[in-house]
Amino acid sequence: MPVSFSLASYPSFLRFWAGRVAGTMANQMLMVAVGWQMYDLTHSAWNLGLVGLFQFVPALALALVAGHVADRHDRRHIVSMALTLQLAAALLLLLSTHEHWISRDLILGVSLLLGVARSFQMTATQALTPLLVPSAILARAMALSSSGNQAAIIGGPALGGFLYAAGASVVYVVCAALLVLGASLVWSVRYDHKPAPRAPVTMDTLLAGVRFIRAKPVVLGAISLDLFAVLLGGAVALLPIYARDILHVGPEGLGLLRGAPAMGALLMSLVLARWTIRSRAGAILFSCVAIFGLTTIVFGVSTSFLLSMVALFINGAVDMVSVVVRQTLVQLDTPDEMRGRVSAVNSIFIGASNQLGEFESGATAALFGPVGAVVVGGVGTLLVVGLWMRWFPELRNRRSLTEA
């Protein structure tokens, strides 16, 4: 008998889920508006790249500090304050745009602020979810959270682009309203918060999450498997080349190619929210990462737009399964007093794999061409799966997600 899962039974999780979706939607819209406005002001691809860099650097630099904070303070308050910091950024952009003193330096400063908020928000969000539902249905809760997140990632940029036609100020007003809603919903969440003993912030406490992961083969294997799979198997950075020079589908086709993995991930997350993984969790994780590598190879050699769309759709779907399995294993195998710091290390791995994966794709494409780069990445992913199955037998043989 499957464990019943009703949102009505967990009102705090429902409020947190809705607040997270509102915050993610606002953040995605904000990124679209900031990017467009920077390019309108400077007409510089370099400055456009700096917007992303100014958000990534503080998120990476503050991750361990954010983990320590998440283990010492009320996590709903941390998420709420991170959303409030983004609200301040949206209001500053709104005011400066309306009064016509928006500038390149101001946008970069706001990007830095958003990176700081993102660091604390991501870590506290990951560490808070296991406290809102029983462990037996955490995988479903993770899947449902991912479905809302994917919907916001798909819908946010589209809505932001549509509203930007009426002016950047309109986007910032809507973002501010969504952030107020998100912060209010998260603040209203109730859970059994047990204050941790006060301890000085030292390098030893900051690195406790790293030491914990090294001592837990299941956690280390799951996190590192995802890191290398995304690092090697990500073809997203090369999609413009495929759309223009290989598939010949233009910018409209590029939009569809970019949306295909997200649609696969969204539909799979809805499936996982209804039917949880109850056995052979480790085998399923490795199988999905292997399929991720195979579909990457298929996409790499395809000259058919339809086949490429199908490959990317499956790629996103199996990636969502591996994400849910990995996140659930990491959270359930980690004691609550360590979840913040472990989630911080996990966030570093996720950020590094995404950013470095784009760099790796570009570097290998310069050496082997786009097709060679994608195929090499897919083959590398399959090689990693084989090695990790040998090096991490505890992860390979893991049966139930909840057997920690």
Side-chain angles (χ1 to χ4, degrees), residues 31 49-63 108 110-119 122 227 347-359:
M31 291 306 96
L50 286 179
V51 171
L53 180 65
F54 271 58
Q55 292 180 64
F56 173 68
V57 170
L60 184 64
L62 293 173
L108 292 178
V110 168
S111 299
L112 201 66
L113 190 66
L114 291 172
V116 172
R118 177 188 172 193
S119 178
M122 285 183 61
L227 168 66
S347 297
I348 293 174
F349 274 56
I350 293 171
S353 63
N354 289 329
Q355 300 295 328
L356 293 177
E358 293 184 5
F359 173 76

PDB file of all heavy atoms in Angstrom, residues 31 49-63 108 110-119 122 227 347-359:
ATOM      1  N   MET A  31      15.634  38.230 -13.066  1.00  0.00           N
ATOM      2  CA  MET A  31      16.829  37.964 -13.867  1.00  0.00           C
ATOM      3  C   MET A  31      16.625  38.363 -15.330  1.00  0.00           C
ATOM      4  O   MET A  31      17.531  38.899 -15.976  1.00  0.00           O
ATOM      5  CB  MET A  31      17.193  36.481 -13.784  1.00  0.00           C
ATOM      6  CG  MET A  31      17.686  36.025 -12.425  1.00  0.00           C
ATOM      7  SD  MET A  31      19.068  37.018 -11.818  1.00  0.00           S
ATOM      8  CE  MET A  31      18.216  38.203 -10.777  1.00  0.00           C
ATOM      9  N   GLY A  49      27.491  39.162 -19.097  1.00  0.00           N
ATOM     10  CA  GLY A  49      28.122  38.054 -18.388  1.00  0.00           C
ATOM     11  C   GLY A  49      28.470  38.404 -16.955  1.00  0.00           C
ATOM     12  O   GLY A  49      28.395  37.554 -16.057  1.00  0.00           O
ATOM     13  N   LEU A  50      28.838  39.671 -16.733  1.00  0.00           N
ATOM     14  CA  LEU A  50      29.183  40.099 -15.372  1.00  0.00           C
ATOM     15  C   LEU A  50      27.991  40.009 -14.422  1.00  0.00           C
ATOM     16  O   LEU A  50      28.167  39.768 -13.222  1.00  0.00           O
ATOM     17  CB  LEU A  50      29.717  41.538 -15.396  1.00  0.00           C
ATOM     18  CG  LEU A  50      31.131  41.741 -15.949  1.00  0.00           C
ATOM     19  CD1 LEU A  50      31.494  43.225 -15.914  1.00  0.00           C
ATOM     20  CD2 LEU A  50      32.155  40.931 -15.157  1.00  0.00           C
ATOM     21  N   VAL A  51      26.782  40.191 -14.948  1.00  0.00           N
ATOM     22  CA  VAL A  51      25.591  40.084 -14.105  1.00  0.00           C
ATOM     23  C   VAL A  51      25.531  38.696 -13.467  1.00  0.00           C
ATOM     24  O   VAL A  51      25.293  38.553 -12.262  1.00  0.00           O
ATOM     25  CB  VAL A  51      24.317  40.362 -14.931  1.00  0.00           C
ATOM     26  CG1 VAL A  51      23.064  40.036 -14.108  1.00  0.00           C
ATOM     27  CG2 VAL A  51      24.274  41.820 -15.366  1.00  0.00           C
ATOM     28  N   GLY A  52      25.748  37.655 -14.288  1.00  0.00           N
ATOM     29  CA  GLY A  52      25.753  36.295 -13.753  1.00  0.00           C
ATOM     30  C   GLY A  52      26.913  36.045 -12.812  1.00  0.00           C
ATOM     31  O   GLY A  52      26.762  35.405 -11.770  1.00  0.00           O
ATOM     32  N   LEU A  53      28.097  36.575 -13.150  1.00  0.00           N
ATOM     33  CA  LEU A  53      29.275  36.370 -12.318  1.00  0.00           C
ATOM     34  C   LEU A  53      29.104  37.022 -10.949  1.00  0.00           C
ATOM     35  O   LEU A  53      29.471  36.446  -9.920  1.00  0.00           O
ATOM     36  CB  LEU A  53      30.508  36.936 -13.020  1.00  0.00           C
ATOM     37  CG  LEU A  53      31.839  36.787 -12.273  1.00  0.00           C
ATOM     38  CD1 LEU A  53      32.199  35.315 -12.133  1.00  0.00           C
ATOM     39  CD2 LEU A  53      32.949  37.544 -13.002  1.00  0.00           C
ATOM     40  N   PHE A  54      28.525  38.232 -10.921  1.00  0.00           N
ATOM     41  CA  PHE A  54      28.342  38.949  -9.662  1.00  0.00           C
ATOM     42  C   PHE A  54      27.321  38.263  -8.749  1.00  0.00           C
ATOM     43  O   PHE A  54      27.327  38.493  -7.546  1.00  0.00           O
ATOM     44  CB  PHE A  54      27.917  40.398  -9.936  1.00  0.00           C
ATOM     45  CG  PHE A  54      29.076  41.346 -10.097  1.00  0.00           C
ATOM     46  CD1 PHE A  54      30.042  41.134 -11.080  1.00  0.00           C
ATOM     47  CD2 PHE A  54      29.223  42.451  -9.268  1.00  0.00           C
ATOM     48  CE1 PHE A  54      31.113  41.986 -11.234  1.00  0.00           C
ATOM     49  CE2 PHE A  54      30.292  43.317  -9.402  1.00  0.00           C
ATOM     50  CZ  PHE A  54      31.247  43.083 -10.395  1.00  0.00           C
ATOM     51  N   GLN A  55      26.478  37.420  -9.325  1.00  0.00           N
ATOM     52  CA  GLN A  55      25.552  36.643  -8.491  1.00  0.00           C
ATOM     53  C   GLN A  55      26.196  35.340  -8.034  1.00  0.00           C
ATOM     54  O   GLN A  55      25.956  34.887  -6.915  1.00  0.00           O
ATOM     55  CB  GLN A  55      24.278  36.330  -9.274  1.00  0.00           C
ATOM     56  CG  GLN A  55      23.415  37.533  -9.573  1.00  0.00           C
ATOM     57  CD  GLN A  55      22.187  37.148 -10.352  1.00  0.00           C
ATOM     58  OE1 GLN A  55      21.329  36.415  -9.868  1.00  0.00           O
ATOM     59  NE2 GLN A  55      22.092  37.633 -11.571  1.00  0.00           N
ATOM     60  N   PHE A  56      27.018  34.752  -8.902  1.00  0.00           N
ATOM     61  CA  PHE A  56      27.593  33.442  -8.588  1.00  0.00           C
ATOM     62  C   PHE A  56      28.669  33.528  -7.514  1.00  0.00           C
ATOM     63  O   PHE A  56      28.721  32.687  -6.608  1.00  0.00           O
ATOM     64  CB  PHE A  56      28.174  32.834  -9.868  1.00  0.00           C
ATOM     65  CG  PHE A  56      28.933  31.554  -9.641  1.00  0.00           C
ATOM     66  CD1 PHE A  56      28.281  30.400  -9.252  1.00  0.00           C
ATOM     67  CD2 PHE A  56      30.315  31.511  -9.798  1.00  0.00           C
ATOM     68  CE1 PHE A  56      28.974  29.220  -9.045  1.00  0.00           C
ATOM     69  CE2 PHE A  56      31.020  30.339  -9.590  1.00  0.00           C
ATOM     70  CZ  PHE A  56      30.338  29.187  -9.208  1.00  0.00           C
ATOM     71  N   VAL A  57      29.527  34.529  -7.580  1.00  0.00           N
ATOM     72  CA  VAL A  57      30.675  34.612  -6.666  1.00  0.00           C
ATOM     73  C   VAL A  57      30.245  34.682  -5.194  1.00  0.00           C
ATOM     74  O   VAL A  57      30.721  33.893  -4.374  1.00  0.00           O
ATOM     75  CB  VAL A  57      31.597  35.783  -7.044  1.00  0.00           C
ATOM     76  CG1 VAL A  57      32.630  36.024  -5.959  1.00  0.00           C
ATOM     77  CG2 VAL A  57      32.294  35.500  -8.374  1.00  0.00           C
ATOM     78  N   PRO A  58      29.335  35.609  -4.800  1.00  0.00           N
ATOM     79  CA  PRO A  58      28.949  35.620  -3.381  1.00  0.00           C
ATOM     80  C   PRO A  58      28.191  34.366  -2.963  1.00  0.00           C
ATOM     81  O   PRO A  58      28.315  33.918  -1.817  1.00  0.00           O
ATOM     82  CB  PRO A  58      28.071  36.867  -3.260  1.00  0.00           C
ATOM     83  CG  PRO A  58      27.605  37.155  -4.635  1.00  0.00           C
ATOM     84  CD  PRO A  58      28.714  36.711  -5.546  1.00  0.00           C
ATOM     85  N   ALA A  59      27.400  33.802  -3.881  1.00  0.00           N
ATOM     86  CA  ALA A  59      26.682  32.567  -3.551  1.00  0.00           C
ATOM     87  C   ALA A  59      27.656  31.445  -3.231  1.00  0.00           C
ATOM     88  O   ALA A  59      27.434  30.640  -2.323  1.00  0.00           O
ATOM     89  CB  ALA A  59      25.766  32.173  -4.710  1.00  0.00           C
ATOM     90  N   LEU A  60      28.768  31.401  -3.957  1.00  0.00           N
ATOM     91  CA  LEU A  60      29.781  30.371  -3.718  1.00  0.00           C
ATOM     92  C   LEU A  60      30.608  30.695  -2.476  1.00  0.00           C
ATOM     93  O   LEU A  60      30.852  29.828  -1.628  1.00  0.00           O
ATOM     94  CB  LEU A  60      30.699  30.266  -4.936  1.00  0.00           C
ATOM     95  CG  LEU A  60      31.764  29.171  -4.921  1.00  0.00           C
ATOM     96  CD1 LEU A  60      31.103  27.799  -4.894  1.00  0.00           C
ATOM     97  CD2 LEU A  60      32.672  29.289  -6.142  1.00  0.00           C
ATOM     98  N   ALA A  61      31.004  31.965  -2.333  1.00  0.00           N
ATOM     99  CA  ALA A  61      31.890  32.358  -1.235  1.00  0.00           C
ATOM    100  C   ALA A  61      31.210  32.247   0.129  1.00  0.00           C
ATOM    101  O   ALA A  61      31.861  31.948   1.130  1.00  0.00           O
ATOM    102  CB  ALA A  61      32.379  33.789  -1.459  1.00  0.00           C
ATOM    103  N   LEU A  62      29.898  32.474   0.179  1.00  0.00           N
ATOM    104  CA  LEU A  62      29.191  32.506   1.463  1.00  0.00           C
ATOM    105  C   LEU A  62      28.479  31.194   1.786  1.00  0.00           C
ATOM    106  O   LEU A  62      27.798  31.115   2.814  1.00  0.00           O
ATOM    107  CB  LEU A  62      28.166  33.649   1.458  1.00  0.00           C
ATOM    108  CG  LEU A  62      28.741  35.070   1.422  1.00  0.00           C
ATOM    109  CD1 LEU A  62      27.616  36.085   1.259  1.00  0.00           C
ATOM    110  CD2 LEU A  62      29.528  35.354   2.699  1.00  0.00           C
ATOM    111  N   ALA A  63      28.630  30.188   0.941  1.00  0.00           N
ATOM    112  CA  ALA A  63      27.861  28.964   1.130  1.00  0.00           C
ATOM    113  C   ALA A  63      28.122  28.309   2.483  1.00  0.00           C
ATOM    114  O   ALA A  63      27.186  27.913   3.190  1.00  0.00           O
ATOM    115  CB  ALA A  63      28.159  27.981  -0.011  1.00  0.00           C
ATOM    116  N   LEU A 108      25.076  45.936 -11.316  1.00  0.00           N
ATOM    117  CA  LEU A 108      26.065  44.985 -10.812  1.00  0.00           C
ATOM    118  C   LEU A 108      26.012  44.910  -9.279  1.00  0.00           C
ATOM    119  O   LEU A 108      26.151  43.825  -8.700  1.00  0.00           O
ATOM    120  CB  LEU A 108      27.466  45.376 -11.282  1.00  0.00           C
ATOM    121  CG  LEU A 108      27.733  45.236 -12.782  1.00  0.00           C
ATOM    122  CD1 LEU A 108      29.146  45.693 -13.118  1.00  0.00           C
ATOM    123  CD2 LEU A 108      27.509  43.800 -13.249  1.00  0.00           C
ATOM    124  N   VAL A 110      23.353  45.457  -7.434  1.00  0.00           N
ATOM    125  CA  VAL A 110      22.134  44.711  -7.117  1.00  0.00           C
ATOM    126  C   VAL A 110      22.350  43.212  -7.362  1.00  0.00           C
ATOM    127  O   VAL A 110      21.876  42.363  -6.597  1.00  0.00           O
ATOM    128  CB  VAL A 110      20.951  45.235  -7.958  1.00  0.00           C
ATOM    129  CG1 VAL A 110      19.761  44.282  -7.867  1.00  0.00           C
ATOM    130  CG2 VAL A 110      20.553  46.625  -7.490  1.00  0.00           C
ATOM    131  N   SER A 111      23.087  42.869  -8.419  1.00  0.00           N
ATOM    132  CA  SER A 111      23.381  41.459  -8.705  1.00  0.00           C
ATOM    133  C   SER A 111      24.169  40.832  -7.559  1.00  0.00           C
ATOM    134  O   SER A 111      23.939  39.671  -7.182  1.00  0.00           O
ATOM    135  CB  SER A 111      24.166  41.343 -10.014  1.00  0.00           C
ATOM    136  OG  SER A 111      23.417  41.845 -11.098  1.00  0.00           O
ATOM    137  N   LEU A 112      25.102  41.589  -7.005  1.00  0.00           N
ATOM    138  CA  LEU A 112      25.874  41.115  -5.855  1.00  0.00           C
ATOM    139  C   LEU A 112      24.946  40.846  -4.673  1.00  0.00           C
ATOM    140  O   LEU A 112      25.062  39.826  -3.986  1.00  0.00           O
ATOM    141  CB  LEU A 112      26.922  42.162  -5.485  1.00  0.00           C
ATOM    142  CG  LEU A 112      28.133  41.716  -4.666  1.00  0.00           C
ATOM    143  CD1 LEU A 112      28.997  40.762  -5.449  1.00  0.00           C
ATOM    144  CD2 LEU A 112      28.947  42.940  -4.238  1.00  0.00           C
ATOM    145  N   LEU A 113      23.997  41.744  -4.442  1.00  0.00           N
ATOM    146  CA  LEU A 113      23.029  41.591  -3.358  1.00  0.00           C
ATOM    147  C   LEU A 113      22.169  40.351  -3.574  1.00  0.00           C
ATOM    148  O   LEU A 113      21.904  39.590  -2.624  1.00  0.00           O
ATOM    149  CB  LEU A 113      22.147  42.847  -3.298  1.00  0.00           C
ATOM    150  CG  LEU A 113      21.221  43.005  -2.091  1.00  0.00           C
ATOM    151  CD1 LEU A 113      22.023  43.197  -0.810  1.00  0.00           C
ATOM    152  CD2 LEU A 113      20.287  44.191  -2.317  1.00  0.00           C
ATOM    153  N   LEU A 114      21.758  40.122  -4.805  1.00  0.00           N
ATOM    154  CA  LEU A 114      20.945  38.951  -5.106  1.00  0.00           C
ATOM    155  C   LEU A 114      21.734  37.662  -4.892  1.00  0.00           C
ATOM    156  O   LEU A 114      21.183  36.645  -4.463  1.00  0.00           O
ATOM    157  CB  LEU A 114      20.449  39.022  -6.556  1.00  0.00           C
ATOM    158  CG  LEU A 114      19.411  40.112  -6.852  1.00  0.00           C
ATOM    159  CD1 LEU A 114      19.149  40.204  -8.350  1.00  0.00           C
ATOM    160  CD2 LEU A 114      18.113  39.848  -6.102  1.00  0.00           C
ATOM    161  N   GLY A 115      23.046  37.691  -5.181  1.00  0.00           N
ATOM    162  CA  GLY A 115      23.883  36.519  -4.944  1.00  0.00           C
ATOM    163  C   GLY A 115      23.991  36.190  -3.468  1.00  0.00           C
ATOM    164  O   GLY A 115      23.960  35.013  -3.071  1.00  0.00           O
ATOM    165  N   VAL A 116      24.106  37.218  -2.626  1.00  0.00           N
ATOM    166  CA  VAL A 116      24.145  37.003  -1.175  1.00  0.00           C
ATOM    167  C   VAL A 116      22.837  36.378  -0.697  1.00  0.00           C
ATOM    168  O   VAL A 116      22.831  35.400   0.073  1.00  0.00           O
ATOM    169  CB  VAL A 116      24.399  38.347  -0.452  1.00  0.00           C
ATOM    170  CG1 VAL A 116      24.253  38.171   1.057  1.00  0.00           C
ATOM    171  CG2 VAL A 116      25.787  38.882  -0.791  1.00  0.00           C
ATOM    172  N   ALA A 117      21.710  36.934  -1.152  1.00  0.00           N
ATOM    173  CA  ALA A 117      20.408  36.399  -0.754  1.00  0.00           C
ATOM    174  C   ALA A 117      20.245  34.953  -1.208  1.00  0.00           C
ATOM    175  O   ALA A 117      19.752  34.103  -0.465  1.00  0.00           O
ATOM    176  CB  ALA A 117      19.297  37.265  -1.346  1.00  0.00           C
ATOM    177  N   ARG A 118      20.687  34.666  -2.432  1.00  0.00           N
ATOM    178  CA  ARG A 118      20.559  33.317  -2.976  1.00  0.00           C
ATOM    179  C   ARG A 118      21.336  32.305  -2.149  1.00  0.00           C
ATOM    180  O   ARG A 118      20.875  31.178  -1.929  1.00  0.00           O
ATOM    181  CB  ARG A 118      21.066  33.315  -4.417  1.00  0.00           C
ATOM    182  CG  ARG A 118      21.047  31.959  -5.085  1.00  0.00           C
ATOM    183  CD  ARG A 118      21.736  32.015  -6.434  1.00  0.00           C
ATOM    184  NE  ARG A 118      21.897  30.693  -7.017  1.00  0.00           N
ATOM    185  CZ  ARG A 118      22.660  30.417  -8.053  1.00  0.00           C
ATOM    186  NH1 ARG A 118      23.347  31.371  -8.627  1.00  0.00           N
ATOM    187  NH2 ARG A 118      22.753  29.194  -8.517  1.00  0.00           N
ATOM    188  N   SER A 119      22.510  32.669  -1.676  1.00  0.00           N
ATOM    189  CA  SER A 119      23.329  31.746  -0.902  1.00  0.00           C
ATOM    190  C   SER A 119      22.603  31.272   0.353  1.00  0.00           C
ATOM    191  O   SER A 119      22.520  30.070   0.621  1.00  0.00           O
ATOM    192  CB  SER A 119      24.653  32.423  -0.526  1.00  0.00           C
ATOM    193  OG  SER A 119      25.440  31.570   0.270  1.00  0.00           O
ATOM    194  N   MET A 122      19.067  29.261  -0.596  1.00  0.00           N
ATOM    195  CA  MET A 122      19.193  27.883  -1.087  1.00  0.00           C
ATOM    196  C   MET A 122      19.520  26.911   0.029  1.00  0.00           C
ATOM    197  O   MET A 122      18.918  25.838   0.139  1.00  0.00           O
ATOM    198  CB  MET A 122      20.282  27.817  -2.165  1.00  0.00           C
ATOM    199  CG  MET A 122      19.890  28.376  -3.513  1.00  0.00           C
ATOM    200  SD  MET A 122      21.208  28.173  -4.742  1.00  0.00           S
ATOM    201  CE  MET A 122      21.370  26.388  -4.806  1.00  0.00           C
ATOM    202  N   LEU A 227      27.512  15.820  -9.476  1.00  0.00           N
ATOM    203  CA  LEU A 227      28.485  16.835  -9.895  1.00  0.00           C
ATOM    204  C   LEU A 227      29.110  16.471 -11.236  1.00  0.00           C
ATOM    205  O   LEU A 227      29.120  17.280 -12.177  1.00  0.00           O
ATOM    206  CB  LEU A 227      29.571  16.972  -8.828  1.00  0.00           C
ATOM    207  CG  LEU A 227      30.824  17.774  -9.240  1.00  0.00           C
ATOM    208  CD1 LEU A 227      30.474  19.229  -9.469  1.00  0.00           C
ATOM    209  CD2 LEU A 227      31.914  17.640  -8.188  1.00  0.00           C
ATOM    210  N   SER A 347      25.050  22.722  -2.185  1.00  0.00           N
ATOM    211  CA  SER A 347      24.812  23.892  -3.032  1.00  0.00           C
ATOM    212  C   SER A 347      26.068  24.280  -3.802  1.00  0.00           C
ATOM    213  O   SER A 347      25.997  24.684  -4.964  1.00  0.00           O
ATOM    214  CB  SER A 347      24.342  25.079  -2.178  1.00  0.00           C
ATOM    215  OG  SER A 347      23.118  24.807  -1.550  1.00  0.00           O
ATOM    216  N   ILE A 348      27.224  24.161  -3.145  1.00  0.00           N
ATOM    217  CA  ILE A 348      28.488  24.456  -3.831  1.00  0.00           C
ATOM    218  C   ILE A 348      28.684  23.495  -4.994  1.00  0.00           C
ATOM    219  O   ILE A 348      29.062  23.897  -6.102  1.00  0.00           O
ATOM    220  CB  ILE A 348      29.667  24.358  -2.852  1.00  0.00           C
ATOM    221  CG1 ILE A 348      29.586  25.470  -1.797  1.00  0.00           C
ATOM    222  CG2 ILE A 348      30.995  24.445  -3.595  1.00  0.00           C
ATOM    223  CD1 ILE A 348      30.635  25.364  -0.707  1.00  0.00           C
ATOM    224  N   PHE A 349      28.408  22.204  -4.757  1.00  0.00           N
ATOM    225  CA  PHE A 349      28.558  21.209  -5.818  1.00  0.00           C
ATOM    226  C   PHE A 349      27.616  21.511  -6.979  1.00  0.00           C
ATOM    227  O   PHE A 349      28.005  21.425  -8.147  1.00  0.00           O
ATOM    228  CB  PHE A 349      28.266  19.808  -5.265  1.00  0.00           C
ATOM    229  CG  PHE A 349      29.455  19.146  -4.626  1.00  0.00           C
ATOM    230  CD1 PHE A 349      30.144  19.759  -3.592  1.00  0.00           C
ATOM    231  CD2 PHE A 349      29.882  17.908  -5.043  1.00  0.00           C
ATOM    232  CE1 PHE A 349      31.243  19.160  -2.997  1.00  0.00           C
ATOM    233  CE2 PHE A 349      30.981  17.286  -4.454  1.00  0.00           C
ATOM    234  CZ  PHE A 349      31.663  17.920  -3.431  1.00  0.00           C
ATOM    235  N   ILE A 350      26.355  21.874  -6.661  1.00  0.00           N
ATOM    236  CA  ILE A 350      25.382  22.160  -7.714  1.00  0.00           C
ATOM    237  C   ILE A 350      25.816  23.380  -8.522  1.00  0.00           C
ATOM    238  O   ILE A 350      25.821  23.363  -9.757  1.00  0.00           O
ATOM    239  CB  ILE A 350      23.984  22.399  -7.097  1.00  0.00           C
ATOM    240  CG1 ILE A 350      23.454  21.099  -6.477  1.00  0.00           C
ATOM    241  CG2 ILE A 350      23.011  22.909  -8.165  1.00  0.00           C
ATOM    242  CD1 ILE A 350      22.189  21.292  -5.676  1.00  0.00           C
ATOM    243  N   GLY A 351      26.200  24.446  -7.808  1.00  0.00           N
ATOM    244  CA  GLY A 351      26.629  25.658  -8.497  1.00  0.00           C
ATOM    245  C   GLY A 351      27.868  25.425  -9.336  1.00  0.00           C
ATOM    246  O   GLY A 351      27.954  25.874 -10.486  1.00  0.00           O
ATOM    247  N   ALA A 352      28.827  24.694  -8.787  1.00  0.00           N
ATOM    248  CA  ALA A 352      30.070  24.435  -9.512  1.00  0.00           C
ATOM    249  C   ALA A 352      29.808  23.585 -10.753  1.00  0.00           C
ATOM    250  O   ALA A 352      30.370  23.839 -11.825  1.00  0.00           O
ATOM    251  CB  ALA A 352      31.071  23.734  -8.598  1.00  0.00           C
ATOM    252  N   SER A 353      28.939  22.559 -10.617  1.00  0.00           N
ATOM    253  CA  SER A 353      28.683  21.697 -11.770  1.00  0.00           C
ATOM    254  C   SER A 353      27.998  22.453 -12.886  1.00  0.00           C
ATOM    255  O   SER A 353      28.319  22.275 -14.070  1.00  0.00           O
ATOM    256  CB  SER A 353      27.832  20.485 -11.347  1.00  0.00           C
ATOM    257  OG  SER A 353      26.564  20.892 -10.871  1.00  0.00           O
ATOM    258  N   ASN A 354      27.050  23.324 -12.556  1.00  0.00           N
ATOM    259  CA  ASN A 354      26.351  24.085 -13.595  1.00  0.00           C
ATOM    260  C   ASN A 354      27.283  25.069 -14.284  1.00  0.00           C
ATOM    261  O   ASN A 354      27.319  25.159 -15.523  1.00  0.00           O
ATOM    262  CB  ASN A 354      25.153  24.824 -12.997  1.00  0.00           C
ATOM    263  CG  ASN A 354      24.034  23.883 -12.605  1.00  0.00           C
ATOM    264  OD1 ASN A 354      23.856  22.845 -13.218  1.00  0.00           O
ATOM    265  ND2 ASN A 354      23.278  24.236 -11.589  1.00  0.00           N
ATOM    266  N   GLN A 355      28.026  25.846 -13.494  1.00  0.00           N
ATOM    267  CA  GLN A 355      28.901  26.867 -14.068  1.00  0.00           C
ATOM    268  C   GLN A 355      30.078  26.234 -14.804  1.00  0.00           C
ATOM    269  O   GLN A 355      30.395  26.606 -15.932  1.00  0.00           O
ATOM    270  CB  GLN A 355      29.415  27.795 -12.961  1.00  0.00           C
ATOM    271  CG  GLN A 355      28.317  28.529 -12.196  1.00  0.00           C
ATOM    272  CD  GLN A 355      27.547  29.504 -13.052  1.00  0.00           C
ATOM    273  OE1 GLN A 355      28.107  30.081 -13.973  1.00  0.00           O
ATOM    274  NE2 GLN A 355      26.273  29.669 -12.768  1.00  0.00           N
ATOM    275  N   LEU A 356      30.745  25.280 -14.148  1.00  0.00           N
ATOM    276  CA  LEU A 356      31.893  24.642 -14.783  1.00  0.00           C
ATOM    277  C   LEU A 356      31.473  23.760 -15.954  1.00  0.00           C
ATOM    278  O   LEU A 356      32.242  23.575 -16.909  1.00  0.00           O
ATOM    279  CB  LEU A 356      32.661  23.806 -13.754  1.00  0.00           C
ATOM    280  CG  LEU A 356      33.363  24.602 -12.646  1.00  0.00           C
ATOM    281  CD1 LEU A 356      34.030  23.654 -11.659  1.00  0.00           C
ATOM    282  CD2 LEU A 356      34.375  25.569 -13.218  1.00  0.00           C
ATOM    283  N   GLY A 357      30.239  23.230 -15.885  1.00  0.00           N
ATOM    284  CA  GLY A 357      29.742  22.424 -16.994  1.00  0.00           C
ATOM    285  C   GLY A 357      29.620  23.243 -18.268  1.00  0.00           C
ATOM    286  O   GLY A 357      29.940  22.766 -19.364  1.00  0.00           O
ATOM    287  N   GLU A 358      29.160  24.479 -18.148  1.00  0.00           N
ATOM    288  CA  GLU A 358      29.081  25.353 -19.319  1.00  0.00           C
ATOM    289  C   GLU A 358      30.479  25.652 -19.851  1.00  0.00           C
ATOM    290  O   GLU A 358      30.699  25.676 -21.072  1.00  0.00           O
ATOM    291  CB  GLU A 358      28.354  26.646 -18.946  1.00  0.00           C
ATOM    292  CG  GLU A 358      26.880  26.447 -18.604  1.00  0.00           C
ATOM    293  CD  GLU A 358      26.172  27.754 -18.325  1.00  0.00           C
ATOM    294  OE1 GLU A 358      26.818  28.817 -18.502  1.00  0.00           O
ATOM    295  OE2 GLU A 358      24.988  27.719 -17.945  1.00  0.00           O
ATOM    296  N   PHE A 359      31.426  25.879 -18.942  1.00  0.00           N
ATOM    297  CA  PHE A 359      32.799  26.138 -19.377  1.00  0.00           C
ATOM    298  C   PHE A 359      33.382  24.907 -20.061  1.00  0.00           C
ATOM    299  O   PHE A 359      34.041  25.008 -21.106  1.00  0.00           O
ATOM    300  CB  PHE A 359      33.656  26.536 -18.168  1.00  0.00           C
ATOM    301  CG  PHE A 359      35.127  26.654 -18.497  1.00  0.00           C
ATOM    302  CD1 PHE A 359      35.612  27.754 -19.190  1.00  0.00           C
ATOM    303  CD2 PHE A 359      36.014  25.666 -18.116  1.00  0.00           C
ATOM    304  CE1 PHE A 359      36.957  27.862 -19.502  1.00  0.00           C
ATOM    305  CE2 PHE A 359      37.367  25.761 -18.414  1.00  0.00           C
ATOM    306  CZ  PHE A 359      37.841  26.861 -19.108  1.00  0.00           C
TER     307      PHE A 359
END
